[in-house]
């Protein structure tokens, strides 16, 4: 079973959306026996909470049910998961600092590296902004979902 962990700051907006959208694509493509996904935050500020109500409402309008409960990422997640996917540059830096040994080089990537034309960019934090920020999160995550699934299946086969 291949596995992906999505990581943002709070684990209540961006990474739960990535988890929900990518899981939706995994199910639509009949890959549920081959690939699993989870999400976490670099902080534990919102640990135990459901995804942000605004994020859930925007996701729901596109047909996604966000069911995750927030938790903080830990170094052991680098052993558990095949890929650890940072949503922005700050998350990437924090994860690189906590990754044991060489695992940062092999497992740590950025979500937008799989979004055509957006390589190296961030999935911007929508928490303090308006509706368009939540829509932007969904646009970027939808655009990268299939390329990311293809990539993890290739590197783990
Ligand atoms: P996320 O968004 O990292 O996409 O879950 C945020 C959630 C909470 C906060 C910031 C960003 N916060 O400052 O509490």
């Amino acid at each position: 079973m291949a596995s992906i962990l999505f990581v943002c700051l709070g684990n209540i907006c961006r990474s739960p959306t990535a988890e929900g959208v990518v899981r939706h694509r995994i199910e639509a493509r009949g890959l549920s026996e081959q690939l699993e996904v989870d999400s976490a935050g670099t902080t534990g500020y919102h640990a135990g909470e459901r995804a942000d109500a605004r994020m859930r409402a925007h996701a729901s309008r596109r047909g996604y049910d966000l069911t995750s409960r927030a938790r903080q990422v830990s170094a052991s997640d680098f052993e558990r998961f095949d890929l650890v996917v940072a949503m922005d540059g700050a998350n990437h830096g924090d994860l690189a600092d906590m990754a044991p040994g060489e695992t940062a080089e092999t497992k740590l990537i950025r979500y937008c590296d799989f979004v055509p034309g957006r390589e190296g960019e961030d999935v911007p934090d929508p928490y303090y902004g308006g509706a368009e920020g939540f829509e932007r999160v969904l646009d970027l995550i939808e655009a990268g979902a299939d390329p990311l699934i293809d990539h993890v299946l290739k590197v783990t086969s």
Side-chain angles (χ1 to χ4, degrees):
M1 189 88 156
S3 58
I4 308 174
L5 181 69
F6 298 103
V7 182
C8 60
L9 180 70
N11 192 209
I12 55 170
C13 295
R14 294 165 292 173
S15 60
T17 303
E19 178 188 341
V21 170
V22 173
R23 183 177 291 125
H24 192 270
R25 290 302 305 151
I26 289 168
E27 287 167 7
R29 293 173 61 174
L31 297 170
S32 302
E33 304 296 310
Q34 293 169 60
L35 180 54
E36 62 188 357
V37 289
D38 190 14
S39 66
T42 57
T43 69
Y45 298 152
H46 296 275
E49 293 177 22
R50 294 193 66 189
D52 184 280
R54 298 164 296 171
M55 192 72 254
R56 280 190 279 128
H58 283 272
S60 170
R61 274 182 231 133
R62 298 196 194 192
Y64 307 112
D65 188 19
L66 306 187
T67 58
S68 65
R69 290 274 174 186
R71 71 172 178 90
Q72 187 168 14
V73 70
S74 75
S76 64
D77 285 313
F78 281 94
E79 331 263 309
R80 268 179 68 195
F81 292 91
D82 293 307
L83 289 181
V84 177
V85 183
M87 306 308 288
D88 68 23
N91 309 146
H92 189 277
D94 290 341
L95 288 163
D97 288 345
M98 71 182 289
E102 314 261 288
T103 54
E105 277 104 90
T106 55
K107 295 190 173 182
L108 178 58
I109 56 176
R110 292 168 199 255
Y111 196 93
C112 278
D113 289 344
F114 297 91
V115 180
R118 300 284 173 195
E119 296 82 0
E121 294 185 19
D122 292 338
V123 178
D125 181 349
Y127 191 71
Y128 292 106
E132 69 288 348
F134 293 93
E135 289 298 311
R136 178 99 182 113
V137 168
L138 282 156
D139 289 342
L140 288 168
I141 287 172
E142 286 184 334
D146 280 318
L148 178 59
I149 291 169
D150 295 340
H151 174 76
V152 71
L153 291 176
K154 195 164 137 199
V155 297
T156 57
S157 65

